[in-house]
């Protein structure tokens, strides 16, 4: 375990920042480069450049703004992390705009995180680390509204948001416990603490759930839970 942890620390998380505002990119780079485990390897001022640089540099995490020239962040997200991408990248959308359709479109388009720019630098670094680890992070202020949008009967269906699929095989009671907490926006560490299990156990359950639901990430697991009512059947 020590050897693995050391290896991970020796290799910083490589990040691409895409935003049309120079000041935002500079601020993000300044803070992220100051982290011992993160390094910024590329910057882009528009969506087309972001996609081109991401495909060339293959960063561990792409931070994309939504409103950018030439190509918006939602389209860039679909091209880098969408269902049709054979080797999807990890995208975190960081934006000033928290409109429901933006949040929903980004996450269903393959993003593994969604943050508001006013979330603060600490949450930004956490989102980068979560994405690099295959986890996800959504700004807490967005989570409830996102899930409300996902479950709204009047929500406009899109090609990227098909009806919830039936599991390939039934989820166990413990897997459902994990799914409910994922739907509430809990991190793996918080789920482990709530269920009094180890972090590795949580990851094992999540891996099993992803296979059974054919879900690409924990965001799709949360969406499935809310769409099917499995987020409500909790003891509280």
């Amino acid at each position: 375990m020590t050897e693995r942890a050391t290896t991970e620390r020796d290799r910083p998380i490589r990040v691409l920042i895409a935003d049309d505002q120079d000041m935002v990119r500079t601020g993000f780079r300044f803070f992220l480069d100051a982290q011992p485990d993160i390094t910024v390897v590329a910057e882009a001022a528009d969506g087309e450049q972001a996609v081109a640089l991401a495909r060339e540099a293959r960063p561990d995490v792409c931070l994309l703004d939504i409103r950018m020239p030439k190509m918006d962040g939602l389209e860039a997200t679909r091209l880098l992390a969408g269902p049709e991408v054979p080797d999807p990248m990890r995208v975190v959308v960081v934006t000033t705009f928290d409109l429901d359709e933006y949040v929903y479109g980004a996450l269903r388009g393959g993003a593994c995180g969604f943050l508001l720019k006013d979330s603060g630098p600490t949450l930004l670094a956490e989102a980068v680390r979560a994405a690099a680890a295959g986890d996800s992070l959504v700004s807490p202020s967005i989570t409830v509204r996102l899930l409300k949008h996902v479950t709204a009967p009047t929500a406009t269906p899109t090609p990227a948001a098909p009806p919830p699929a039936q599991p390939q095989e039934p989820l166990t009671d413990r897997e459902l416990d994990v799914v409910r907490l994922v739907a509430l926006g809990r991190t793996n560490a918080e789920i482990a603490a709530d269920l009094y299990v180890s972090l590795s156990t949580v990851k094992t359950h999540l891996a099993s759930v992803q296979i059974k639901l054919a879900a690409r990430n924990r965001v799709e697991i949360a969406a499935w839970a809310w769409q099917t009512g499995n987020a409500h059947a909790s003891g509280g």
Side-chain angles (χ1 to χ4, degrees), residues 92-106:
V92 176
V93 172
V94 187
T95 181
T96 306
F97 308 98
D98 66 341
L99 298 177
D100 289 340
E101 57 266 33
Y102 284 169
V103 181
Y104 188 68

Side-chain angles (χ1 to χ4, degrees), residues 13-226:
I13 300 166
R14 301 169 67 254
V15 176
L16 173 145
I17 300 171
D19 195 291
D20 60 343
Q21 298 182 48
D22 291 342
M23 192 163 60
V24 171
R25 294 199 309 274
T26 299
F28 284 180
R29 174 188 279 275
F30 178 81
F31 177 77
L32 293 176
D33 273 344
Q35 306 303 304
D37 58 338
I38 300 174
T39 183
V40 176
V41 296
E43 290 184 31
D46 63 66
E48 287 185 358
Q49 185 183 28
V51 171
L53 286 175
R55 287 172 172 169
E56 177 184 342
R58 297 298 302 184
D60 299 307
V61 179
C62 300
L63 296 178
L64 303 183
D65 188 20
I66 285 186
R67 293 188 177 178
M68 293 187 290
K70 298 185 180 179
M71 178 189 297
D72 66 30
L74 298 181
E75 178 62 21
T77 296
R78 283 190 290 270
L79 291 176
L80 295 176
E84 309 301 321
V85 180
D87 187 14
M89 298 188 196
R90 290 161 182 166
V91 173
V92 176
V93 172
V94 187
T95 181
T96 306
F97 308 98
D98 66 341
L99 298 177
D100 289 340
E101 57 266 33
Y102 284 169
V103 181
Y104 188 68
L107 297 177
R108 294 301 300 180
C112 63
F114 192 103
L115 291 179
L116 297 181
K117 289 180 181 175
D118 62 5
S119 296
T122 301
L123 205 58
L124 176 67
E126 288 181 11
V128 167
R129 294 184 181 108
D135 207 337
S136 64
L137 192 153
V138 178
S139 287
S141 61
I142 291 175
T143 304
V144 173
R145 285 184 27 249
L146 164 66
L147 296 174
K148 178 181 177 183
H149 181 82
V150 167
T151 57
T154 56
T156 303
T158 68
Q166 291 298 314
Q168 296 179 7
E169 60 180 282
L171 273 62
T172 67
D173 289 342
R174 183 52 96 186
E175 288 170 349
L176 284 172
D177 289 338
V178 171
V179 166
R180 289 173 193 130
L181 292 172
V182 167
L184 294 176
R186 301 288 196 273
T187 64
N188 285 359
E190 290 170 339
I191 293 172
D194 286 351
L195 298 181
Y196 302 101
V197 298
S198 69
L199 194 58
S200 61
T201 297
V202 172
K203 291 180 179 179
T204 298
H205 286 315
L206 280 174
S208 175
V209 169
Q210 279 190 243
I211 292 172
K212 290 181 178 181
L213 298 182
R216 286 160 42 85
N217 51 49
R218 71 193 291 117
V219 176
E220 292 189 0
I221 292 174
W224 176 86
W226 284 89

